[in-house]
Amino acid sequence: MRVYFELNGKPQYVEVKPGESLLALLRRLGMKSVKEGCGMGECGTCTVLLEGKPVRSCLTFAPKVQGKRVTTVEGLGSVNDPHPLQRAFVEAGAVQCGFCTPGMILTAYALLEENPDPTPQEVREYLVGNLCRCTGYKKIVDAVLLAAQWKREGQWR
Amino acid sequence: MAVILGRARAVVGQNVPKVDGIPLATGQPKFTLDLDFPGALVGKILYSPHAHAEILAIDTSEAERVPGVACILHYGNVPRVPYTTAGQGWPEPSPYDTVLFDRKVRYVGDRVAAVAAETEEAALEALQKIRVEYRILPAVFTIDEALAPGAPIIHDEPDAQGIYDPQRNIAAAVDIPIGDLARGFAESDVIVEETCEIPYSQHCALEPHCVLAYFDEDGRLVLRTSTQVPFHVRRIVSRVLGIPLSRIRVVKPRIGGGFGSKQEVILEPVAAALALRTGRPVRMALTREEVLVSTRTRHPYRVRVKLGAKRDGTLHALEMEALGNTGAYGAHAGTVLYNVGSKSLPLYNKARHLRFHGKAVYTNLPVAGAYRGYGATQAFFALEVAMDELAEKLGMDPLELRLKNHIREGESSPIFEKLGEGREGKAQIIRSCKLAEALRIGAERIGWYEKRRNPRREGPWAYGVGLACAMQGSGITGIDMAAATLLMNEDGSFRLLVGATDLGTGSDTVLAQIAAEALGVPVEKVLVYSSDTDFTPFDTGAYASSTTYVSGNAVLRAAEEVKRQILEVAAEMLEEPVEGLVLERERVVSRRTGRSVSLAEVGHRATYVANQRQIGATASFACPESPPPFAAFFCEVAVDTETGVVRVERFVVVADCGQPIHPKLAEGQLEGAVVQGIGHALYEELLFSERGSCVNRSFFDYRIPTALDVPEIEAILVPSEEPTGPFGAKSIAEVGINGPLPAISNAIYHAVGVRLTRAPFTPERVLAALKAKGR
Ligand code: FES
Ligand code: FES
């Protein structure tokens, strides 16, 4: 079956295999930032934004994106032009192995859209579905608070 | 909340951007499976459903007829070469008790066969159609069952090597007496004894184990793999498959966490065998369930500690008995066992009479392996709970008891010499130790004295504070060796090639900083390429807290040699003797005249102009001693006396890792390790059915801490100057995981007066302990 959707601002018209997950589809389309840590909706490494809201792409059937907007971390910024939120993660020391990072960043992005001035506790509550085994979460929370400050100061896009 | 007091330098001690930070944050395809390999076969493994069974027959005829199946491997069609999956240096200390596929299976999750097929669906269908006829054997699931007379023998194969006593299921054993223990206890005024137990738990790196095996244009086998030990992978695969080492290249791209689980060579020989048999690229990726069931775990241990002390609190006699479960195979069995003693007992070197003894025992449960802390975590749980009890019995503050007994700069412990890596060790003295200061800072941050005196109570919630100390090592004395190659480019930048393996820890950044500091250049001028057995020099790998110290020293040596060559070229250019020149801020400056040349000019001249040469050097460092990092842990817990729920309210960890090269990365290591330790203390345990089958096979059932389960960890670094370390550095990666178990147990005792000695401290266990105490 063919599905039409918008991926990181660009239209996509692709053949989807029966039963294919959004995770598999996106990786097939080259979006390797979308990681499979569990494949069962329990780790958050496969998080992408669907119409701006975080979803677990491993649990989302590919056809569900028909006519919708999908954002992966590749869509926020690039190596030579990273998004401020991506810079904040590096500056705060929130990236260790980096396997959880794309999902964390997208979830944090959605949080800051909803709430530009979250408390540390609110950040933790919002990120509860995204596991990280490396950092102990402290520097991830720091990164989101730093990014929130930058956003309020107008350093955003 | 870091207090950085180390020496200010241009690059070392600075929080430079992590060299792979932006690529990772922007989702660049840097991980093993991010490389698409058109035409790659999918490799899948068939696992044993039985804990202990003999395979009478395997019939693959139906499976072979599944369209798309290219190859099926099992005991009947691969060579039998006993080896160990433990990725350690040669000679390998772990027993050779594993083969690629055996006639016997020894745990639920043991591998029986492997399939390579065009698609995952075809591979899975083929797995289902392999008919295996088993003869089920009696199985043993606990240390006591395995040691009981008449217990089934798990390793009865005649070709296994290096097992301590296969007839009694003992993989490894140790007994080291120092002094006269009986006299020591007889002379002690106060004696306490405690036994603590750690269950099966798992690393849970978020990236599951995976590997790509393919052939390059010259027909050589390439393994792109998520590993901590590329050079050991090369050696082990070469031996197991009987292909020359020179025909194998192992590449480690970015990897999604390891913590010891990827110090095991599990998938690589299977993928390589499938690729060799089919002549096709093969891709293997485990599911989370497969990781939980079939890979590696922490060694469950029961550790008994008996302490004898003088009235003034000076330890006089110390006995530690360690009984470990290594599961079905002995990967790291002996070395973890030795480390239980060698990484803990030197901390309290005042005890004159010592005995460390123990065994690592086979059972029909999953295979234990290397896990951050590596025996020390198990040891410090028991040791630090026992110290808490001793303090109580002496009527002494637990902090004062630590201060009275811990090892100091200039001191040694006989343990260093007696206990090494599964064999004898090497004497060493402590050249840097800021544990006393760490204890003081931690006590102040948590409000120790005030909170000890006045424990709080709010409704059902009782509050308490507890502390613990710990140490680790920095590399393995006499075994670890790392090398680095540093080459100057014509524009004055450098390429740093290291075998060292960054598994997310930031070691590429730390090593670049060491080179940059020595060369007087900003870190951006050092391009790091790591962990590729074709292009980088040898390194034993990322384990035993070795990289900053061992690999870092190799980098420093290479940088010093390169600096010497740079000065030589600059001396020709400035027409002055080398002695009068200094290298700083990317220029070589004459002290006498102030004239200078830039590194770009030096690089250009050496490359193209005169006396042409490649400025560059390869240097190695073999670990002559293993300076321990030290840490003090303080936590405040709240215990719900009605439900048994324990909440960690605050956690402060203060560590001496020498001079932190990158303070933020060092803090990150501590914070992450402490949270894993909190997982050990409160949540994590692999559970098994009566038939030995793992029950909690997903993150839903095997819970690791989320952002809401843990407080903000306060990590504080107390720099010391380790004279043998690169710019004074020691290790930091492991020590942080050793403290949470005892610190939390001790805090619970302070809050509600019950000792939790079996991890994890679940509400049920806490409630049961409270009931037993009669509340
Ligand atoms: S891979 Fe989707 S939640 Fe883990
Ligand atoms: S940085 Fe490794 S899992 Fe989060």
Side-chain angles (χ1 to χ4, degrees), chain A residues 27-28 32-33 35-38 40 42-43 45 73-74 77-79 82 86-87 89-93 95-102 105 121 124-125 127-128 131-139, chain B residues 18 21-22 24-29 31 33-34 36 202-204 206-208 255-257 259 288 371 503-504 664 667-669 671-672 675-676 684 698-700 704-708 710-713:
Chain A
R27 285 190 64 87
R28 191 154 64 77
K32 303 298 189 191
S33 73
K35 301 294 185 213
E36 181 166 354
C38 72
M40 312 231 326
E42 294 163 351
C43 75
T45 57
V73 115
E74 287 93 340
S78 62
V79 185
Q86 292 167 320
R87 278 196 288 115
F89 263 66
V90 178
E91 184 155 330
V95 181
Q96 281 191 29
C97 77
F99 200 79
C100 71
T101 307
I105 286 179
Q121 183 61 17
R124 284 178 184 268
E125 281 164 14
L127 294 179
V128 73
L131 297 177
C132 174
R133 194 55 156 172
C134 299
T135 63
Y137 303 106
K138 157 117 189 354
K139 291 187 169 24
Chain B
K18 193 168 182 277
I22 289 292
L24 288 171
T26 54
Q28 297 304 302
F31 294 83
L33 296 178
D34 293 348
D36 281 328
Q202 200 176 63
H203 321 69
C204 296
L206 283 194
E207 179 200 38
I255 85 171
F259 318 113
R288 178 57 52 189
Y371 187 159
L503 50 144
K664 236 177 214 170
E667 285 166 23
Q669 285 299 306
E671 290 157 7
V675 166
Q676 283 184 7
E684 295 180 38
S698 67
F699 280 148
F700 184 75
I704 66 174
T706 68
L708 276 181
V710 290
E712 172 174 325
I713 309 301

Side-chain angles (χ1 to χ4, degrees), chain B residues 242-542:
Chain B
I243 44 178
L245 190 127
S246 59
R247 299 293 293 165
I248 304 171
R249 172 180 173 198
V250 178
V251 181
K252 179 223 65 113
R254 293 297 97 183
I255 85 171
F259 318 113
S261 66
K262 293 168 181 171
Q263 196 197 335
E264 290 281 328
V265 186
I266 302 173
L267 285 183
E268 292 91 346
V270 179
L274 290 169
L276 284 167
R277 194 61 64 94
T278 57
R280 303 261 310 266
V282 172
R283 171 196 153 98
M284 294 186 81
L286 294 188
T287 63
R288 178 57 52 189
E289 181 180 2
E290 290 177 296
V291 173
L292 281 161
V293 172
S294 81
T295 64
R296 298 293 176 264
T297 69
R298 185 181 287 290
H299 281 80
Y301 256 88
R302 194 160 76 213
V303 179
R304 181 177 63 84
V305 169
K306 189 173 172 187
L307 302 173
K310 299 288 193 187
R311 188 61 24 244
D312 71 351
T314 309
L315 282 174
H316 191 59
L318 200 171
E319 182 190 10
M320 183 181 276
E321 183 188 12
L323 278 178
N325 178 354
T326 190
Y329 298 93
H332 301 271
T335 37
V336 165
L337 172 63
Y338 270 61
N339 271 267
V340 171
S342 69
K343 293 287 183 284
S344 67
L345 298 176
L347 185 63
Y348 298 125
N349 64 335
K350 306 299 176 285
R352 304 247 296 277
H353 305 285
L354 293 164
R355 184 175 170 215
F356 173 66
H357 54 126
K359 296 180 186 75
V361 174
Y362 289 116
T363 63
N364 294 109
L365 286 178
V367 187
Y371 187 159
R372 189 183 220 169
Y374 203 82
T377 311
Q378 291 91 325
F380 279 114
F381 181 20
L383 181 58
E384 288 300 275
V385 168
M387 285 292 277
D388 208 62
E389 293 179 25
L390 180 63
E392 185 182 28
K393 221 164 167 183
L394 286 162
M396 227 175 144
D397 186 291
L399 196 154
E400 304 306 321
L401 182 65
R402 288 351 187 260
L403 283 175
K404 197 157 192 81
N405 286 289
H406 81 76
I407 197 164
R408 298 287 201 286
E409 282 177 12
E411 294 180 358
S412 184
S413 157
I415 292 291
F416 288 126
E417 195 177 347
K418 298 277 185 189
L419 278 176
E421 201 70 1
R423 58 182 196 195
E424 273 184 14
K426 227 177 131 214
Q428 79 173 46
I429 60 162
I430 297 298
R431 304 173 198 272
S432 59
C433 176
K434 290 275 182 282
L435 184 55
E437 206 175 322
L439 279 162
R440 260 193 303 278
I441 293 171
E444 198 186 299
R445 293 294 314 166
I446 200 107
W448 176 254
Y449 295 104
E450 163 63 21
K451 285 181 177 149
R452 281 303 279 194
R453 266 195 308 275
N454 310 309
R456 247 187 327 142
R457 181 110 201 195
E458 277 166 26
W461 291 94
Y463 291 76
V465 286
L467 73 81
C469 295
M471 56 174 268
Q472 196 82 34
S474 304
I476 308 173
T477 309
I479 291 178
D480 281 350
M481 189 275 274
T485 298
L486 186 63
L487 301 167
M488 189 184 202
N489 294 323
E490 67 224 63
D491 67 344
S493 63
F494 298 86
R495 276 171 291 144
L496 176 62
L497 312 178
V498 285
T501 309
D502 190 334
L503 50 144
T505 51
S507 70
D508 282 359
T509 305
V510 163
L511 297 177
Q513 283 179 279
I514 290 172
E517 181 69 48
L519 294 166
V521 300
V523 80
E524 305 80 61
K525 287 287 167 73
V526 181
L527 314 168
V528 190
Y529 184 67
S530 61
S531 321
D532 179 331
T533 60
D534 267 15
F535 295 105
T536 64
F538 185 85
D539 191 298
T540 31

Side-chain angles (χ1 to χ4, degrees), chain B residues 694-766:
Chain B
C694 176
V695 182
N696 38 358
R697 299 174 163 223
S698 67
F699 280 148
F700 184 75
D701 294 315
Y702 183 89
R703 230 160 78 62
I704 66 174
T706 68
L708 276 181
D709 291 323
V710 290
E712 172 174 325
I713 309 301
E714 249 183 86
I716 301 171
L717 304 170
V718 198
S720 65
E721 192 71 27
E722 170 56 41
T724 66
F727 298 105
K730 300 187 280 190
S731 83
I732 188 69
E734 292 182 276
V735 68
I737 203 168
N738 297 335
L741 272 162
I744 292 170
S745 175
N746 292 342
I748 293 172
Y749 183 76
H750 183 232
V752 293
V754 297
R755 291 262 172 225
L756 275 293
T757 56
R758 167 66 159 86
F761 316 140
T762 56
E764 299 73 39
R765 289 204 179 98
V766 174

